Amino acid sequence: MKKLSVVVPCYNEEATVEAFYNAAVPVFETMREGRYAFEIIFVNDGSRDRTGELLAALAAKDKRVKVLTFSRNFGQQAAILCGFRHCTGDCAVELDVDLQDPVEVVEKMLVKWEEGYDVVHGRRLARKGESVFKKVTAKAYYKFLHGITGIGIPCNTGDFKLLDRRVVDVICALPEHGKYLRGLESWVGFKQTFVDFDRNERVAGETKYTLKKMIRLAQNGIVSNSSWPLTLSFKCGIILGVLSLACFITFIVLVCCGIALPFAAWLFPALALCTSMLCIFNAVSNLYLSKVYEEVKNRPEYIVAEKINFEEDVK
Ligand code: UDP
Ligand code: MG
């Protein structure tokens, strides 16, 4: 019997944990005609309300429920990663506890997994219960991220995805800190596909993503996946350099034609040239910085998905 692991991060979710359990368990029990065993791993991300107490009660009555409790609030990404590190299923899915991601969609994801896909992204069509600000900024941000990373981080997806065991293992083995899972789940490659769904409103309670947390996550998404911001200095340097040279040439031509220019006029191209040189020197440092950053992240240079006719010990 194949096993599905469900990883559920929870932060101050006393209003939703029981509703989640009651809604999710019957769905998982009957999914694919009951052909799957499952475990639900709740990761209590340092909740200060009754979440821990409620989770302990669920675990006491149902051995398929497992609970990991953080010493403080480390954030949703850390909670999901911790769940992945402890899961034992043949595949794993992340689900928010507030039932915004419909549990029934997991069955559609399993169908794709059975077809041979390793990563099944949940793609949001409608996003009920989200503010206009969140919708607009999320759309702009993911478009930007998609553009600067070049690894195809898909728009309108979040952490709601199904991952094959081998993808979970690859991600958990990555040594970098502050993992941006949404990016890594695309970066790993393998066979990827989508399942579309309408995102519900929260079943109860308020969002736990403050603006500060959203900005931190967005910033991490950019810094973890792209060195593009480090190349801006070089581009600025070149543009300023070309501008100042064009200005100098124009001024020299004007002087040759007998048009006198005040001394102050020469200050603009001179300043632009100095700034351009500073930008270019900075770009050289950035080049080394991005190299060091890649080394520090220490991601594998490739991931082998399959080997044919090789001895076991050949890497
Ligand atoms: N969450 C978490 N740690 C945090 C913030 C959120 O574990 O620091 C959990 C939260 O309990 C929920 C999921 O992450 O299960 C998504 O959070 P939320 O619903 O607040 O985010 P939104 O859907 O509003 O983006
Ligand atoms: Mg939510």
Side-chain angles (χ1 to χ4, degrees):
M1 199 182 208
K2 296 276 185 201
K3 183 173 175 184
L4 166 74
S5 295
V6 184
V7 172
V8 190
C10 309
Y11 177 52
N12 291 343
E13 295 282 5
E14 62 183 8
T16 58
V17 282
E18 281 174 332
F20 175 87
Y21 177 84
N22 293 334
V25 167
V27 175
F28 295 142
E29 280 173 346
T30 52
M31 209 161 40
R32 311 296 291 142
E33 290 90 36
R35 282 191 278 114
Y36 281 84
F38 67 91
E39 64 182 356
I40 306 179
I41 304 181
F42 288 102
V43 187
N44 179 5
D45 182 14
S47 302
R48 289 182 303 270
D49 63 358
R50 291 178 56 246
T51 302
E53 215 176 290
L54 297 172
L55 291 178
L58 292 178
K61 72 169 183 185
D62 185 344
K63 291 292 160 233
R64 297 167 300 186
V65 171
K66 296 170 182 178
V67 182
L68 295 156
T69 306
F70 281 177
S71 57
R72 64 165 173 83
N73 180 234
F74 283 94
Q76 186 206 15
Q77 298 290 295
I80 300 170
L81 183 67
C82 178
F84 284 162
R85 287 212 167 114
H86 287 82
C87 77
T88 56
D90 300 287
C91 57
V93 69
E94 187 278 345
L95 266 177
D96 290 353
V97 72
D98 56 11
L99 293 172
Q100 280 199 275
D101 304 323
V103 184
E104 299 73 28
V105 177
V106 176
E107 180 156 24
K108 293 186 186 162
M109 291 178 161
L110 275 178
V111 173
K112 293 284 180 195
W113 180 66
E114 287 169 11
E115 285 171 16
Y117 288 99
D118 300 288
V119 179
V120 187
H121 302 271
R123 184 165 48 195
R124 304 162 182 178
L125 295 178
R127 302 166 71 119
K128 292 175 209 156
E130 286 183 16
S131 65
V132 176
F133 173 76
K134 188 155 185 178
K135 282 184 202 164
V136 170
T137 49
K139 196 168 175 182
Y141 171 74
Y142 284 106
K143 225 173 167 172
F144 174 69
L145 192 63
H146 187 90
I148 63 167
T149 56
I151 53 167
I153 297 175
C155 297
N156 293 322
T157 62
D159 290 302
F160 181 34
K161 301 175 202 290
L162 183 141
L163 308 177
D164 182 74
R165 175 85 249 163
R166 58 183 178 164
V167 175
V168 172
D169 289 342
V170 167
I171 289 177
C172 290
L174 292 174
E176 72 191 73
H177 285 92
K179 291 187 179 60
Y180 183 73
L181 293 169
R182 297 169 197 194
L184 290 174
E185 285 153 356
S186 296
W187 174 85
V188 289
F190 295 102
K191 275 185 83 181
Q192 308 213 353
T193 190
F194 296 89
V195 164
D196 292 327
F197 72 99
D198 289 330
R199 199 159 200 242
N200 297 325
E201 286 187 35
R202 241 181 186 272
V203 70
E206 297 289 316
T207 178
K208 303 300 173 302
Y209 259 91
T210 54
L211 186 64
K212 197 171 152 194
K213 278 188 180 174
M214 259 166 67
I215 292 173
R216 212 184 296 151
L217 181 71
Q219 195 179 304
N220 189 30
I222 295 170
V223 176
S224 299
N225 294 295
S226 173
S227 303
W228 176 80
L230 288 175
T231 65
L232 286 180
S233 177
F234 181 71
K235 287 168 189 158
C236 285
I238 294 293
I239 292 171
L240 274 176
V242 170
L243 265 178
S244 68
L245 283 180
C247 209
F248 269 128
I249 293 167
T250 317
F251 285 7
I252 290 166
V253 171
L254 288 177
V255 170
C256 291
C257 295
I259 301 169
L261 288 169
F263 172 73
W266 294 91
L267 284 179
F268 168 71
L271 261 177
L273 191 65
C274 291
T275 315
S276 145
M277 279 162 68
L278 282 177
C279 283
I280 288 173
F281 287 137
N282 181 248
V284 174
S285 314
N286 284 354
L287 216 62
Y288 286 92
L289 184 63
S290 63
K291 182 81 186 138
V292 170
Y293 183 54
E294 291 307 320
E295 291 293 335
V296 171
K297 276 198 292 186
N298 201 14
R299 285 190 196 172
E301 281 162 286
Y302 53 80
I303 298 165
V304 179
E306 195 184 10
K307 290 183 198 167
I308 296 176
N309 284 350
F310 275 92
E311 300 296 330
E312 260 318 293
D313 56 347
V314 177
K315 291 264 187 306

